[in-house]
Amino acid sequence: MSGSKQLKLGAFMRPVSIHTGAWRYPGALPDANFNFPALKRFIQKLEQGKFDAFFMADHLAVLNMPINALKRSHTVTSFEPFTLLSALASVTEHIGLVATASTTYDQPYHIARRFASLDHISGGRAGWNIVTTANPDAALNFGLEEQIEHDERYVRAREFYEVVTGLWDSFADDAFVRDVESGIYFDPEKIHVLNHQGKHLSVRGPLNIARPVQGWPVIVQAGASEAGRQLAAATAEVVFASAGNLEMGKAFYADIKGRVRSPSGGRFAPSLGRDPDSIKILPGALVVVGETVAEARAKRVHLDSLVHYESGIASLNSALGYDVSHFDPDGYLPEIPPTNAGKTSRERVIAMAQRENLTIRQLAQRIGSYGGLAFVGTPQSIADEMEQWLIEEGSDGFNIMFPFLPEGLNDFVDKVIPELQRRGIFRQEYEGKTLRENLGLTRPANRFFQTATTSVR
Amino acid sequence: MSGSKQLKLGAFMRPVSIHTGAWRYPGALPDANFNFPALKRFIQKLEQGKFDAFFMADHLAVLNMPINALKRSHTVTSFEPFTLLSALASVTEHIGLVATASTTYDQPYHIARRFASLDHISGGRAGWNIVTTANPDAALNFGLEEQIEHDERYVRAREFYEVVTGLWDSFADDAFVRDVESGIYFDPEKIHVLNHQGKHLSVRGPLNIARPVQGWPVIVQAGASEAGRQLAAATAEVVFASAGNLEMGKAFYADIKGRVRSPSGGRFAPSLGRDPDSIKILPGALVVVGETVAEARAKRVHLDSLVHYESGIASLNSALGYDVSHFDPDGYLPEIPPTNAGKTSRERVIAMAQRENLTIRQLAQRIGSYGGLAFVGTPQSIADEMEQWLIEEGSDGFNIMFPFLPEGLNDFVDKVIPELQRRGIFRQEYEGKTLRENLGLTRPANRFFQTATTSVR
Ligand SMILES: Cc1cc2nc3c(=O)[nH]c(=O)nc-3n(C[C@H](O)[C@H](O)[C@H](O)COP(=O)(O)O)c2cc1C
Ligand SMILES: Cc1cc2nc3c(=O)[nH]c(=O)nc-3n(C[C@H](O)[C@H](O)[C@H](O)COP(=O)(O)O)c2cc1C
């Protein structure tokens, strides 16, 4: 199968796990969100497994949930992405480092500079997950009384991206001559002052750091709305999708690759059309590995059972658009009258309950922790599913979520990765030195200067 | 001399050196500002020398100088402090990590979070150098047409400090119970919502990260104006002074310690009075080491000679308040008519020229690179001077600048440090685990929660 299409794999990390019950799982590290040495072991294991990237989400407020749910959640405290990924950069050599940063609550000069710095420190392994920050509570932490409206956040995001990439291009790749003899440090013809004046931003430049090793750090995006998809099609090189099953995955994949191929001229992010291979679509997927499918399922049931009912029921009610808390939690979901909840979300939840034979309590625990795409089975069955997604154009790989750490991560690297490698759909060795090279993405030209793209720095 | 007052030593680092000519010095690394492995070697050497802290300055624009001077300067590109210091945190164990961050062009939620994160990652070694950013060009990179006025920047800085420290206190030190059995992650009585509404800032909170290991990272300040000194007296634990000679150092020391002891009730930063030992005053000092005093002086003359005349003459003219560029650069400074330049600055420059017998060219090269406090001599003569400053209350230590790297740094660690240790005025081993402990500073109580300060996390 060598020469066949290859999976790209990111690790979607929270120190303890993305699953809210995970800190209570046997063998888990409830203090991982304080424990840098644990994170260092995690990323080194991922690098041993040849993962493309370590991805760190980011939130600019404590998650907005009632205090009775919040007090049970390890999410209230976490490392900040730039400090964490930079610290991890110096203890790794190959793995990509993707940090989330918001275009709504930060300044392009800061963002451009930090990613450039991380890219220089890591030798070209930085990526930027562009988010517009949906949590309305974030606004209150940044001097606003209320959130900027959804679509306007994307208008700002598009402009923000232009400014950041423009600042990255402040210096030509070959600007720094460092001629000790003449005393010229850089060629003054090879510095560009951006002078951006736009609707949301006005930024003069130049940036006070050389062009990143990768030209630009890899651009990642995870929007799902029309505005979010337009931004992805115009700018992203990696898209973190949230696709509940293969059918949804294929539809999303076709939609995004289609937009990339023949631009829609959308109002949020007009684009010129690009090679569809220049964008990699990686849905998030929880992976639970067992010796048998039954063992893997039992692990997941155990994990979900560690979520407190109170923390789950509110999420379930909102997914159904109907209050089911007065029913017996240990009984099954009765017939529910039509409601205002998104029809798709409601039908998915009901189908999930039926398929896995879940009680109301179990369903609440599932929806209150993680109800999205999951591969639960043996290394073989998991590899089968991943291969199917790859072949049927459901994705170009996955953004893997581990149910509990370190066990879930170790299982993936020690058991699933070798199976993917055996099938020839995942690398045995890193292809290049930079994240861009490993993902098979080209190095962007500097928009202000023409130079051979090989002459870095 | 054991038991005597001890020097505290910071390293005031720029990757290449603070001296603009340093990249051309024999053996220097002109690419150090791209070269993370070099920075890693530098900090590990400083840690071997038991330095208190590695200090990283920060500027939010390319330094404002004419392009003909700028093109000769290595300062146009540098790592960003948070990314650099975080990357260095994971390759060191003891040394403090002091990052500069601006209260004028950033948001307290971001700053509080990043320093807390760095403090957790490094096990309690973070420090925050509070600056208000004097370079007017920075405003243009952050959407402003012009800079906020000097004193108003300090009013904002004081409020910013209150918000940041308030956010650090969002959780009690013992909030995180992580009780696997009951499923309670943190005690909901031990989270505090700041709800700050002030003149410049409005920030709700809570911060989404646990209280820093040190309670608060160490607060550093380097202001010199009345407003800057008031802020230092009210908030700082370390002050980076810029004192040209011992006499100026003593005056500054007495002024700041006096303000700390008996608060002035200043309008920028009203304060309640503190123990004068709770603030350490560390003037910046360039140190050039030789086998003989003559050799050290020759090194410095050589270093200064690497500064281009064009880059220096503008600085000299502005320090003198008089255009001397029409005189022969290789002649001596003639008598200069009284001018509008600050009288002290002008007199210092003239005295320096006379004392060291400098031509106009040499003087321009000196002023255009570094004209401040310098100890140039043998390990013994340097230790003599430092000891005198310590005994005569000129300072509590120094913020050392190396003339060129790695040589200047290695010389300091290998030759000057042992001499200071022999005299009993510098540690043989780190006293504690945190920067605060090494500096002899107490851990601040949480303003919202009473707990034993020993129970961290
Ligand atoms: C895998 C994945 C990771 C995400 N990570 C973050 C994040 O770290 N921070 C954030 O504010 N939003 C995050 N989001 C939310 C998206 O940026 C986006 O807001 C969301 O998918 C809704 O789409 P829309 O913004 O187009 O409405 C993530 C979404 C997905 C699917
Ligand atoms: C040792 C030292 C380091 C400094 N580092 C910075 C820095 O990194 N960034 C910055 O904007 N200003 C820096 N400054 C400038 C001071 O913050 C301050 O603006 C200056 O000393 C003038 O004082 P004033 O602000 O009270 O007028 C530094 C000053 C000194 C003495």
Side-chain angles (χ1 to χ4, degrees):
Chain A
M1 269 249 223
S2 179
S4 67
K5 205 178 157 196
Q6 298 283 303
L7 284 171
K8 303 299 173 189
L9 294 180
F12 183 6
M13 298 291 292
R14 264 186 184 279
V16 177
S17 152
I18 53 104
H19 193 288
T20 33
W23 66 276
R24 302 174 69 193
Y25 197 84
L29 305 173
D31 73 341
N33 39 8
F34 296 87
N35 183 342
F36 178 74
L39 272 289
K40 179 173 155 181
R41 288 195 301 275
F42 297 163
I43 196 169
Q44 289 176 337
K45 186 77 186 181
L46 291 168
E47 187 165 83
Q48 179 196 323
K50 317 289 178 211
F51 263 76
D52 287 86
F54 180 106
F55 162 60
M56 184 76 182
D58 195 41
H59 299 280
L60 296 175
V62 163
L63 294 186
N64 44 348
M65 39 169 110
I67 187 79
N68 269 339
L70 194 66
K71 75 180 181 194
R72 299 178 176 279
S73 170
H74 56 79
T75 62
V76 288
T77 174
S78 186
F79 297 109
E80 182 276 335
F82 279 105
T83 43
L84 179 63
L85 292 176
S86 303
L88 293 174
S90 53
V91 296
T92 52
E93 276 179 61
H94 302 286
I95 193 167
L97 306 159
V98 180
T100 298
S102 173
T103 53
T104 304
Y105 301 110
D106 216 319
Q107 294 278 345
Y109 202 86
H110 286 315
I111 295 296
R113 223 174 137 224
R114 284 194 191 108
F115 278 103
S117 187
L118 181 58
D119 208 51
H120 282 290
I121 288 171
S122 65
R125 296 188 282 133
W128 174 24
N129 179 35
I130 301 183
V131 300
T132 59
T133 309
N135 183 349
D137 287 357
L140 308 176
N141 291 333
F142 292 90
L144 300 181
E145 284 183 18
E146 60 180 45
Q147 207 178 17
I148 305 173
E149 181 268 323
H150 178 280
D151 284 3
E152 196 57 31
R153 293 203 303 273
Y154 275 96
V155 171
R156 179 178 158 107
R158 179 65 162 108
E159 186 182 343
F160 199 108
Y161 163 89
E162 283 304 324
V163 176
V164 168
T165 53
L167 287 171
W168 283 332
D169 288 347
S170 291
F171 290 97
D173 285 313
D174 57 359
F176 292 90
V177 293
R178 293 193 288 261
D179 182 359
V180 171
E181 200 48 48
S182 68
I184 307 294
Y185 198 79
F186 72 93
D187 179 347
E189 303 287 310
K190 296 191 172 165
I191 181 170
H192 182 268
V193 181
L194 188 64
N195 274 326
H196 173 89
Q197 299 275 356
K199 181 175 181 198
H200 286 275
L201 301 163
S202 108
V203 179
R204 191 178 76 166
L207 202 63
N208 55 0
I209 181 165
R211 194 161 193 251
V213 174
Q214 298 182 98
W216 304 350
V218 173
I219 303 295
V220 182
Q221 220 270 15
S225 62
E226 178 58 28
R229 289 176 192 219
Q230 284 187 21
L231 181 66
T235 66
E237 301 177 287
V238 172
V239 175
F240 288 157
S242 161
N245 56 40
L246 181 52
E247 191 193 340
M248 291 162 72
K250 282 179 180 173
F252 184 81
Y253 190 94
D255 178 72
I256 297 289
K257 296 263 174 168
R259 288 172 192 256
V260 170
R261 205 178 284 113
S262 40
S264 66
R267 86 174 176 90
F268 300 106
S271 128
L272 293 170
R274 298 188 285 153
D275 175 0
D277 274 350
S278 67
I279 186 163
K280 308 293 171 191
I281 298 181
L282 312 184
L286 182 78
V287 177
V288 187
V289 186
E291 294 288 315
T292 61
V293 173
E295 193 204 41
R297 288 202 180 134
K299 284 186 185 181
R300 188 179 197 192
V301 168
H302 183 183
L303 177 62
D304 282 351
S305 78
L306 299 172
V307 177
H308 200 263
Y309 181 59
E310 262 185 66
S311 315
I313 190 68
S315 312
L316 178 58
N317 287 339
S318 106
L320 293 170
Y322 189 80
D323 185 0
V324 296
S325 49
H326 52 281
F327 296 120
D328 173 10
D330 296 311
Y332 293 97
L333 208 60
E335 197 78 39
I336 286 175
T339 67
N340 289 330
K343 199 160 156 275
T344 356
S345 127
R346 185 164 167 265
E347 281 169 6
R348 268 190 61 221
V349 172
I350 294 173
M352 182 187 287
Q354 284 167 349
R355 192 175 59 241
E356 300 187 43
N357 201 29
L358 303 174
T359 63
I360 291 180
R361 183 189 305 280
Q362 287 172 326
L363 196 59
Q365 289 170 326
R366 170 70 55 85
I367 303 300
S369 56
Y370 175 75
L373 178 65
F375 300 136
V376 181
T378 64
Q380 290 69 30
S381 77
I382 292 164
D384 284 345
E385 291 197 83
M386 290 189 165
E387 196 167 357
Q388 190 186 7
W389 276 71
L390 186 66
I391 291 169
E392 297 186 15
E393 303 205 326
S395 77
D396 298 309
F398 297 95
N399 202 16
I400 306 293
M401 311 182 194
F402 306 106
F404 29 71
L405 294 143
E407 184 190 311
L409 190 160
N410 291 342
D411 280 351
F412 193 94
V413 170
D414 294 334
K415 297 173 185 166
V416 181
I417 292 279
E419 181 59 28
L420 298 172
Q421 289 171 329
R422 207 185 52 71
R423 296 173 187 219
I425 55 172
F426 190 63
R427 68 170 67 85
Q428 305 270 357
E429 279 308 330
Y430 285 101
E431 294 85 0
K433 280 181 168 299
T434 67
L435 174 57
R436 218 163 248 295
E437 285 163 2
N438 291 325
L439 289 170
L441 299 169
T442 54
R443 187 172 188 276
N446 188 315
R447 76 181 69 163
F448 306 120
F449 301 100
Q450 286 191 329
T451 38
T453 53
T454 44
S455 68
V456 183
R457 301 175 175 185
Chain B
M1 270 254 224
S2 179
S4 67
K5 204 179 158 195
Q6 298 283 304
L7 284 171
K8 304 298 174 190
L9 294 181
F12 182 7
M13 297 291 291
R14 265 186 184 278
V16 177
S17 153
I18 53 102
H19 193 288
T20 34
W23 66 278
R24 301 175 69 192
Y25 197 83
L29 304 173
D31 73 341
N33 40 8
F34 297 87
N35 184 341
F36 177 73
L39 272 289
K40 179 174 156 180
R41 288 195 301 275
F42 297 163
I43 197 169
Q44 289 176 337
K45 185 76 185 182
L46 292 168
E47 188 165 84
Q48 178 197 323
K50 317 291 178 211
F51 263 75
D52 287 85
F54 180 106
F55 161 59
M56 184 75 182
D58 195 40
H59 299 281
L60 296 174
V62 163
L63 292 186
N64 44 350
M65 39 169 109
I67 186 79
N68 269 339
L70 195 65
K71 75 181 181 194
R72 300 179 175 280
S73 169
H74 56 79
T75 61
V76 288
T77 175
S78 186
F79 298 109
E80 182 276 336
F82 279 104
T83 43
L84 180 63
L85 293 175
S86 304
L88 294 173
S90 52
V91 295
T92 51
E93 277 179 62
H94 302 285
I95 193 167
L97 305 159
V98 180
T100 298
S102 173
T103 53
T104 304
Y105 301 110
D106 216 320
Q107 293 279 344
Y109 202 85
H110 286 315
I111 296 297
R113 223 175 137 222
R114 285 198 189 104
F115 278 103
S117 187
L118 181 59
D119 207 51
H120 282 290
I121 287 171
S122 65
R125 296 187 282 133
W128 172 25
N129 178 35
I130 300 183
V131 299
T132 59
T133 310
N135 183 349
D137 288 356
L140 307 176
N141 291 333
F142 293 90
L144 300 181
E145 284 182 19
E146 59 180 46
Q147 205 179 20
I148 304 172
E149 181 268 322
H150 178 280
D151 285 4
E152 196 58 31
R153 294 202 303 273
Y154 275 96
V155 171
R156 179 177 158 108
R158 179 64 161 111
E159 186 181 344
F160 199 108
Y161 163 89
E162 283 303 323
V163 175
V164 168
T165 52
L167 288 171
W168 283 333
D169 287 346
S170 291
F171 290 96
D173 285 313
D174 57 359
F176 292 91
V177 292
R178 293 193 289 261
D179 181 358
V180 171
E181 200 49 50
S182 68
I184 306 295
Y185 198 79
F186 72 92
D187 180 346
E189 303 286 308
K190 295 191 172 165
I191 181 171
H192 182 267
V193 180
L194 188 64
N195 273 325
H196 173 89
Q197 300 275 356
K199 181 174 181 200
H200 286 275
L201 300 163
S202 108
V203 178
R204 192 178 74 166
L207 201 63
N208 55 0
I209 182 164
R211 194 160 193 254
V213 174
Q214 296 182 98
W216 304 349
V218 173
I219 302 295
V220 182
Q221 220 269 16
S225 62
E226 178 58 30
R229 289 177 192 218
Q230 283 187 21
L231 182 67
T235 66
E237 300 176 288
V238 172
V239 175
F240 287 157
S242 160
N245 56 41
L246 181 53
E247 192 193 339
M248 290 162 72
K250 282 179 179 173
F252 184 82
Y253 190 95
D255 177 72
I256 297 290
K257 298 261 175 171
R259 288 172 193 256
V260 169
R261 205 176 284 114
S262 40
S264 66
R267 84 173 177 92
F268 301 105
S271 129
L272 294 170
R274 298 188 286 151
D275 176 357
D277 273 350
S278 66
I279 187 164
K280 308 294 171 191
I281 297 179
L282 311 184
L286 182 78
V287 178
V288 186
V289 187
E291 295 289 315
T292 61
V293 173
E295 193 204 39
R297 288 200 180 137
K299 284 186 186 182
R300 186 177 199 195
V301 168
H302 184 184
L303 177 62
D304 281 352
S305 77
L306 299 171
V307 176
H308 200 264
Y309 181 58
E310 263 185 63
S311 316
I313 190 69
S315 313
L316 178 58
N317 286 339
S318 108
L320 292 171
Y322 189 80
D323 184 358
V324 296
S325 48
H326 53 280
F327 296 119
D328 173 12
D330 297 312
Y332 294 97
L333 208 60
E335 197 79 38
I336 286 175
T339 67
N340 289 330
K343 196 158 158 278
T344 355
S345 127
R346 184 163 165 267
E347 282 171 5
R348 267 190 61 221
V349 172
I350 294 173
M352 183 188 288
Q354 284 167 349
R355 190 175 60 241
E356 300 187 42
N357 200 29
L358 303 175
T359 63
I360 291 180
R361 183 189 305 279
Q362 286 171 328
L363 196 59
Q365 289 169 327
R366 170 72 54 84
I367 303 300
S369 55
Y370 175 76
L373 178 64
F375 300 136
V376 181
T378 64
Q380 290 69 30
S381 77
I382 293 164
D384 284 345
E385 290 196 83
M386 291 188 163
E387 195 167 358
Q388 191 186 6
W389 277 71
L390 186 66
I391 291 169
E392 296 186 15
E393 303 206 326
S395 76
D396 298 308
F398 297 94
N399 202 16
I400 305 294
M401 311 182 194
F402 306 106
F404 29 72
L405 296 143
E407 186 190 311
L409 190 160
N410 291 342
D411 280 351
F412 193 93
V413 170
D414 295 334
K415 298 172 185 167
V416 181
I417 292 278
E419 180 60 29
L420 298 172
Q421 289 171 329
R422 207 186 52 73
R423 296 175 186 218
I425 55 172
F426 190 62
R427 68 170 66 84
Q428 304 270 355
E429 282 307 329
Y430 286 101
E431 294 84 2
K433 280 181 167 302
T434 67
L435 175 57
R436 220 164 246 295
E437 284 163 3
N438 290 326
L439 288 171
L441 300 168
T442 54
R443 188 173 188 275
N446 187 314
R447 78 181 70 164
F448 306 120
F449 301 100
Q450 284 192 330
T451 39
T453 52
T454 44
S455 68
V456 184
R457 303 176 176 187

